[in-house]
Amino acid sequence: MADASLIGHESPEGHMPVERGKIAEFARATFSDRPIFTDPEAARQAGFRDVPAPPTFVVASAHFVPSDPGFSAKLDMKRILAGGAEWEFFRPLVAGDELTVRSRVVDVETKQGKRGQMTLITREVSYFDAGGELVQRMRSTVIEMPPMEAKAP
């Protein structure tokens, strides 16, 4: 079970290219048919230097960032639920950006639920461009549920 010793834990840094093809795939997967996500000329006419990424595109960084056994080893992954996410956007991401991804645990708290004590772990993931400018930040919470009670046969 996770505990407050996770606070401050930093995951290995990752890198993620922002590519036109992946932007188009992400837009399609999220049911967006806006031409700015697939057509460079439409993007320029809308004021972007290249095709912009949809707002939550950076979730795809999970496929680029190394796994973090130091974080997951402290959790029972069979009892994990998504607890929500919030985003801050500092500038649009566009095709050609190269992101550096840094993640750290910022809070661990416990709450009493109907089935017992739950642990809420909040991570902050920051996305920096090649110049080191912060372009996006996501705070997400996962919930480690209490173990299930064994039922008598």
Side-chain angles (χ1 to χ4, degrees):
M1 176 170 268
D3 59 42
S5 69
L6 273 175
I7 296 174
H9 175 83
E10 294 183 8
S11 295
E13 189 174 277
H15 299 277
M16 177 185 167
V18 180
E19 303 167 339
R20 278 187 191 164
K22 292 299 177 185
I23 290 171
E25 288 174 6
F26 191 89
R28 185 174 184 183
T30 57
F31 302 103
S32 176
D33 58 0
R34 295 184 61 200
I36 63 168
F37 297 131
T38 56
D39 179 0
E41 185 54 35
R44 280 190 279 283
Q45 287 178 5
F48 298 98
R49 66 178 155 80
D50 206 325
V51 174
T56 59
F57 176 79
V58 295
V59 299
S61 69
H63 299 289
F64 292 85
V65 176
S67 62
D68 183 0
F71 177 71
S72 59
K74 296 210 175 203
L75 304 176
D76 183 347
M77 299 307 285
K78 293 177 283 200
R79 296 188 286 127
I80 295 295
L81 299 174
E86 54 190 58
W87 302 82
E88 290 179 272
F89 303 97
F90 301 99
R91 76 154 173 83
L93 299 177
V94 295
D97 280 336
E98 293 283 334
L99 300 180
T100 297
V101 183
R102 296 186 187 123
S103 175
R104 66 186 175 94
V105 176
V106 295
D107 193 27
V108 176
E109 63 179 304
T110 57
K111 290 189 176 185
Q112 190 62 36
K114 291 180 183 176
R115 291 188 358 218
Q117 187 171 314
M118 304 178 296
T119 305
L120 288 73
I121 303 106
T122 303
R123 293 175 87 172
E124 185 174 275
V125 184
S126 299
Y127 303 87
F128 300 89
D129 65 16
E133 178 186 355
L134 178 63
V135 295
Q136 236 175 27
R137 182 181 300 132
M138 177 185 71
R139 288 175 69 96
S140 63
T141 300
V142 295
I143 303 168
E144 187 179 44
M145 299 298 292
M148 296 289 289
E149 297 281 329
K151 294 186 178 184

